[in-house]
Amino acid sequence: MTNLSRRRVLSLGAALGLVGATGTATDAWAWSPTGSVAGAGAGTDPEYVWDDAIDPLMAKVITSGQVPAVNKGFETWVNNDDPLPSGLPAELTTYLEGVNKLPSWADPKKLARAADFNRRKDTYLFMLYGLGSGIMSTVIPREAKSVYWSAGGADMQDRAAKTFTFGYDLAQLKGFEPEGQFIVTANKTRMVHAAVRHMLPQSPHWSAVSDQKIPISNADILVTFHSLGTFVRRKLLEWKVPFDAEDQEAFLHSWQVALHLLGVRTEYIPTSWDEADKQSAQVLTPILSPTTEGIELAEDLLGLTAQIDLGVTRGFLNEFVRYVLSNEIGDWLGLKRDYAAATLIRTAWPAFILFREGLNPVAPGAFYMFDQFIRALAMAFLNKGASGQTTPIVIPTHNRQD
């Protein structure tokens, strides 16, 4: 990496709150497994690790024409304590019996605290996951290309709703408990990932633009985690939202369990936020870059809130993305400037936080606008704005055609 490239990485990382002044990036996998939940490991590059437990099973489901039966079974399998659906292939049922549960190292108290934290800070989480992480995904080249050329890329509103369901179920007060839904949602998502790993390499469109032979490696899932959990934690601290050490630890733990449920090996799951920051500085910040696919996806995503008009202007939306992610990323995506909205956001959003946190008794003049903005964002991603119910997650049967 050249000195110019390194300075760009550090500058962008600082803007995103992902690396500090001492952050560095290397081309080879260098993160030590001693900093993982497992505490040890072979040190194999996760770039070449996929999901041996489910990948061959889903390939069989697809090639044998059993996807409709599996998707039918998914309809009654929603809550964590629901029985496994009948009619699934025997091998798939056996697999699910082994993974449809929390790992032995999961801490119920931490998971409950994380859920309570998510409830208390849902205002900021909606904003950061939706306009921060969601748009950041469009400048993660591999993710943007994989999403665009898979079935989900042809219907971004449906795809966004399914992605939002994952975060929504993760943040539920009892998401990891029997009456919650996250364990099931995570397992369905893991199966979808396996299906995409089987089908996307068959797409000539994806193969023509991808530098991978198989998508969604353990490394790719870690990149997504850092664009979500690590990014959100750093932004909350940057915005001076009250976030004590116990809440931070619990928030991380919920993501540690989520990564495990998605099939990431424990030797890659960071054991602390310090380790997460080190890993993020290597695997996320250096790879951020615009692509043709990502620019189109960003435009699709930013157009979703326009369908639910609560007085939110597109210029305001563009400027909030720039505020959260940086002007550099805004320029990559061609987001038109609205300098009046930019000034409003940079002055009123910190005041909005102070008022929401009870640190200032005076509400900013733009309080109602921000409140409506957050509502519009949530509605746009919750089941296509139709309701707050879980959006069904199904196994895809095809790639995007054009």
Side-chain angles (χ1 to χ4, degrees):
M1 178 177 286
T2 66
N3 288 335
L4 180 61
S5 297
R6 190 178 302 280
R7 285 196 298 272
R8 175 200 160 274
V9 165
L10 295 177
S11 175
L12 183 56
L16 296 173
L18 290 171
V19 296
T22 58
T24 59
T26 58
D27 295 327
W29 176 250
W31 188 77
S32 172
T34 59
S36 71
V37 168
T44 305
D45 190 338
E47 171 71 16
Y48 305 105
V49 175
W50 290 274
D51 198 339
D52 295 340
I54 186 60
D55 285 354
L57 297 182
M58 290 311 301
K60 287 183 182 179
V61 166
I62 294 168
T63 56
S64 62
Q66 294 176 301
V67 171
V70 171
N71 285 337
K72 183 66 177 176
F74 276 9
E75 293 176 6
T76 60
W77 185 42
V78 178
N79 293 334
N80 297 333
D81 60 356
D82 285 342
L84 292 177
S86 59
L88 298 183
E91 286 182 296
L92 186 57
T93 297
T94 300
Y95 159 79
L96 289 173
E97 288 172 344
V99 301
N100 193 44
K101 58 188 177 182
L102 294 174
S104 60
W105 45 267
D107 186 329
K109 291 183 178 179
K110 289 182 180 179
L111 294 176
R113 186 179 183 111
D116 182 64
F117 169 78
N118 290 331
R119 176 189 61 80
R120 288 183 277 121
K121 308 301 180 185
D122 60 357
T123 297
Y124 317 118
L125 296 178
F126 272 135
M127 299 294 279
L128 287 171
Y129 283 141
L131 292 182
S133 305
I135 303 302
M136 192 194 303
S137 71
T138 70
V139 292
I140 298 173
R142 287 179 174 175
E143 184 168 350
K145 292 172 182 178
S146 293
V147 167
Y148 186 90
W149 289 113
S150 64
D155 185 350
M156 279 306 293
Q157 188 161 10
D158 182 69
R159 203 269 179 182
K162 289 179 169 62
T163 302
F164 196 90
T165 289
F166 182 91
Y168 185 78
D169 291 347
L170 172 64
Q172 280 183 319
L173 274 177
K174 296 186 177 183
F176 291 89
E177 297 180 26
E179 60 267 50
Q181 299 179 355
F182 183 71
I183 297 173
V184 171
T185 295
N187 273 298
K188 287 180 179 178
T189 302
R190 185 175 179 179
M191 286 187 277
V192 170
H193 286 171
V196 172
R197 279 191 286 266
H198 174 74
M199 290 191 298
L200 203 51
Q202 301 173 36
S203 165
H205 303 291
W206 178 79
S207 297
V209 298
S210 178
D211 62 349
Q212 295 178 294
K213 292 185 177 180
I214 304 173
I216 319 179
S217 67
N218 267 206
D220 294 327
I221 298 174
L222 289 170
V223 167
T224 300
F225 155 61
H226 291 301
S227 74
L228 291 160
T230 306
F231 165 74
V232 165
R233 182 241 178 188
R234 295 298 302 174
K235 278 296 178 180
L236 290 175
L237 293 174
E238 178 187 315
W239 287 352
K240 296 181 172 57
V241 174
F243 196 6
D244 66 34
E246 287 185 320
D247 280 343
Q248 290 186 49
E249 184 178 359
F251 185 64
L252 173 62
H253 190 63
S254 67
W255 276 106
Q256 290 169 333
V257 175
L259 287 170
H260 168 81
L261 292 173
L262 288 176
V264 175
R265 295 182 183 177
T266 51
E267 70 175 275
Y268 302 130
I269 301 175
T271 191
S272 68
W273 281 119
D274 283 345
E275 290 296 336
D277 286 336
K278 291 177 186 176
Q279 193 182 83
S280 177
Q282 179 182 349
V283 304
L284 174 61
T285 316
I287 68 171
L288 297 176
S289 182
T291 61
T292 300
E293 292 84 356
I295 292 169
E296 185 171 331
L297 292 178
E299 185 61 31
D300 289 345
L301 288 170
L302 291 171
L304 292 179
T305 55
Q307 299 176 32
I308 305 169
D309 185 7
L310 294 175
V312 178
T313 69
R314 178 56 192 270
F316 184 87
L317 191 63
N318 287 352
E319 290 299 337
F320 208 96
V321 170
R322 286 177 174 273
Y323 178 66
V324 173
L325 290 183
S326 78
N327 282 324
E328 182 172 4
I329 289 178
D331 290 343
W332 286 350
L333 297 175
L335 303 183
K336 294 181 180 179
R337 299 304 309 259
D338 183 331
Y339 292 102
T343 300
L344 174 66
I345 291 166
R346 294 179 187 280
T347 55
W349 180 250
F352 176 82
I353 292 174
L354 288 174
F355 179 75
R356 288 294 301 248
E357 295 300 321
L359 301 175
N360 187 336
V362 180
F367 180 86
Y368 180 75
M369 182 178 184
F370 282 126
D371 213 44
Q372 292 294 85
F373 183 33
I374 294 162
R375 182 183 170 201
L377 187 67
M379 288 179 66
F381 291 111
L382 278 174
N383 203 21
K384 297 188 176 183
S387 74
Q389 300 301 312
T390 299
T391 302
I393 295 174
V394 296
I395 305 300
T397 57
H398 58 277
N399 296 312
R400 183 174 184 151
Q401 299 304 307
D402 53 35

